[in-house]
Amino acid sequence: MLYYLHEMARLSMAPARAMSEGMRFALNSPFNPMVDTPMVRALASTADIFEHLTRSYGKPHWALDTTTIGGEEVAVEEEVLIKRTYCDLLHFKRAQQRDGQRKDPKLLIVAPLSGHYATLVRGTVEAMLPDHDVYITDWRDCRMIPVTQDRFNLNDYIDYLIDFLHVLGPNTHMIAVCQPSVPALAAVSVMSAWGDNCLPASLTMIGGPIDTRKSPTQVNKLAMEHPIEWFERNVVVQVPPPYPGVFRKVYPGFIQLTNFIAMNYERHLESYGQLFDHLVQGDDEAADKKRAFYEEYRAVMDLPAEFYLQTVETVFQKHSLPKGEMIARWHPVLPAHITRTALMCIEGELDDISGIGQTKAALEITPNLADDKKAYMLAKGVGHYGLFNGGKWREKIAPAIKQFIRTHDHEIGAGAKGAAKSSWQGIDRRGGNRRG
């Protein structure tokens, strides 16, 4: 019923949204003699924000048509390497790579399946493209998948990652952004126990909930306050018509978005106030940046109910991975088996979703991994989103990850290790408490 009410509310706003859009065009028309008066600019800005707030947003475009390599602009082509029911393995193929000129490390970026589209990590891809052969998990909106198709849970997620690593082959590197840190570490643990030849050379986990008992955030506390049956009754609903996934049980993206906004309600209210001021003042560049951020932020997708519920129970309630009690299919998930894959953990000082110490726990539950294959970075003054997008990501975090990858790449490694010692400022190679 909740999803039906949401759709009714969305459709009921359509006439008002259309009127608001028409008013905005009329007020901003060059033929309007009062277009530059304060009152008209305020009315036009109000109409603009109303239309923006009531609009539904589909999957954004990647818009990564080029990258810059050695000062030269290079064309980038999107290529779907594997097509699965719930996810495509997308390859960003660079022109120099097609010509055989580049032999950069293979990098699999595991985008979060937590309510937003994979395009949320566009900044991550953009920063890594010049120096890596980049692949990414491009998740699909569950409401667009017919109920007759396969189900998808946390075990399937781990299976997908193992399959993708087998396709990409040995000496692949992985970056797990937030939520996928758990299935990524699980996949590496299982493959390590197998002695798999396609084991990734390195795994970087960014703001991931490896052990949510450490510095619990509001998100972690909510998961612990209610039994799993409460989540099944209150936040799992059926997809309504006319979506292709009608009657499929999902955790709706609009609930996740509401929770994210509620966590920082005053900050978002202030941000929209700034957008209004930019529009009134005619600061189009600042307004466009603010609008673009929210168009990306408010583009949400539905999650499979079985995946959501299993994740809540396994990761946030039972803490199965750090306890050594997690099972993927019939395979015990034991990080102690990891001896060959280098691990890097990155956390944000101001992260209000994954608290300090939650990601670093991965270094503590891998006792058989050598210290020189472990690295930790605490980014000062950085929140959750800033760990993989924005200025501090580009200037500090991404360069550290690139150096880490090159140091542990099986083909490049030896030549990069010397440089690593002098360039990894703020990173503790043993997983200690040094900050950067």
Side-chain angles (χ1 to χ4, degrees):
M1 181 61 69
L2 181 63
Y3 212 138
Y4 287 83
L5 292 173
H6 172 77
E7 287 298 298
M8 288 174 60
R10 184 180 67 83
L11 293 173
S12 67
M13 294 300 295
R17 186 167 59 252
M19 290 178 60
S20 178
E21 182 71 355
M23 179 185 297
R24 183 172 71 89
F25 278 112
L27 292 172
N28 286 328
S29 171
F31 299 104
N32 179 3
M34 302 178 66
V35 66
D36 290 324
T37 61
M39 182 182 69
V40 169
R41 294 195 69 86
L43 288 173
S45 301
T46 301
D48 188 305
I49 290 180
F50 179 83
E51 189 278 332
H52 188 272
L53 284 171
T54 55
R55 192 196 318 168
S56 294
Y57 297 91
K59 181 182 177 181
H61 296 291
W62 283 100
L64 294 173
D65 300 323
T66 63
T67 188
T68 303
I69 301 176
E72 177 186 352
E73 189 174 85
V74 176
V76 176
E77 174 188 352
E78 294 179 22
E79 172 189 45
V80 177
L81 194 63
I82 302 178
K83 187 177 288 290
R84 291 287 180 85
T85 304
Y86 290 87
C87 180
D88 292 336
L89 179 59
L90 187 62
H91 181 204
F92 293 94
K93 199 168 186 178
R94 303 166 300 174
Q96 287 191 2
Q97 181 185 326
R98 292 198 299 269
D99 298 337
Q101 299 176 23
R102 302 288 298 190
K103 298 295 182 182
D104 290 326
K106 288 177 294 184
L107 175 62
L108 172 60
I109 298 176
V110 188
L113 180 56
S114 56
H116 285 100
Y117 292 94
T119 51
L120 187 71
V121 299
R122 182 188 293 105
T124 312
V125 177
E126 186 177 21
M128 305 306 287
L129 259 179
D131 306 293
H132 302 83
D133 182 13
V134 178
Y135 301 78
I136 193 168
T137 56
D138 196 8
W139 301 104
R140 295 183 181 171
D141 189 347
C142 196
R143 66 181 170 182
M144 306 304 291
I145 302 173
V147 70
T148 54
Q149 295 291 327
D150 300 336
R151 300 179 73 187
F152 185 87
N153 59 25
L154 184 58
N155 293 327
D156 296 301
Y157 197 131
I158 296 169
D159 288 345
Y160 272 33
L161 296 186
I162 293 175
D163 289 349
F164 292 163
L165 287 169
H166 284 163
V167 170
L168 296 177
N171 201 28
T172 298
H173 301 265
M174 271 206 301
I175 294 178
V177 182
C178 186
Q179 167 267 327
S181 294
V182 170
L185 187 63
V188 173
S189 300
V190 171
M191 294 175 73
S192 295
W194 293 345
D196 200 307
N197 289 332
C198 294
L199 197 65
S202 75
L203 168 61
T204 299
M205 292 161 282
I206 302 176
I210 300 297
D211 189 347
T212 59
R213 295 171 297 179
K214 299 177 181 292
S215 305
T217 63
Q218 185 178 344
V219 175
N220 310 143
K221 293 175 183 177
L222 175 65
M224 292 298 295
E225 287 172 357
H226 304 284
I228 196 64
E229 293 78 15
W230 182 91
F231 290 94
E232 190 169 8
R233 288 194 308 267
N234 291 278
V235 299
V236 169
V237 297
Q238 287 188 340
V239 176
Y243 297 108
V246 59
F247 303 133
R248 176 184 284 277
K249 288 188 175 181
V250 299
Y251 173 62
F254 67 82
I255 292 182
Q256 183 76 318
L257 178 63
T258 300
N259 291 335
F260 279 145
I261 291 177
M263 287 174 58
N264 296 285
Y265 176 75
E266 293 183 356
R267 187 193 306 170
H268 289 295
L269 193 63
E270 180 183 357
S271 186
Y272 267 102
Q274 293 171 354
L275 174 58
F276 178 81
D277 292 338
H278 293 323
L279 291 169
V280 171
Q281 296 164 7
D283 189 351
D284 294 337
E285 183 176 354
D288 288 345
K289 287 182 179 179
K290 188 79 70 176
R291 190 188 286 112
F293 168 80
Y294 276 105
E295 287 176 358
E296 183 82 57
Y297 189 76
R298 295 182 58 230
V300 292
M301 55 186 284
D302 296 347
L303 309 184
E306 54 274 15
F307 165 76
Y308 171 75
L309 293 173
Q310 188 182 2
T311 299
V312 170
E313 185 174 32
T314 301
V315 178
F316 296 97
Q317 293 184 343
K318 293 184 175 180
H319 315 290
S320 299
L321 179 59
K323 288 182 176 180
E325 300 171 355
M326 186 174 178
I327 302 291
R329 301 296 181 201
W330 54 87
H331 303 289
V333 178
L334 300 174
H337 286 302
I338 299 176
T339 58
R340 292 161 47 197
T341 299
L343 300 180
M344 182 177 191
C345 297
I346 300 175
E347 298 180 329
E349 185 182 34
L350 306 180
D351 193 337
D352 56 359
I353 295 179
S354 295
I356 296 176
Q358 293 186 11
T359 311
K360 182 184 175 184
L363 304 179
E364 301 166 2
I365 59 176
T366 50
N368 296 318
L369 184 64
D371 286 346
D372 62 359
K373 287 183 175 290
K374 295 181 179 181
Y376 173 71
M377 180 178 189
L378 179 62
K380 285 188 175 181
V382 177
H384 189 75
Y385 187 79
L387 284 173
F388 53 90
N389 270 311
K392 291 185 179 179
W393 153 254
R394 291 190 300 270
E395 296 165 9
K396 294 185 178 181
I397 301 173
I401 296 176
K402 291 179 182 182
Q403 186 61 65
F404 180 76
I405 288 174
R406 274 170 161 66
T407 298
H408 297 284
D409 189 89
H410 296 161
E411 296 180 4
I412 303 174
K417 287 182 180 177
K421 293 180 180 178
S422 61
S423 63
W424 285 9
Q425 296 183 4
I427 300 178
D428 188 336
R429 297 283 297 278
R430 303 171 304 282
N433 295 318
R434 186 178 173 189
R435 297 186 177 188

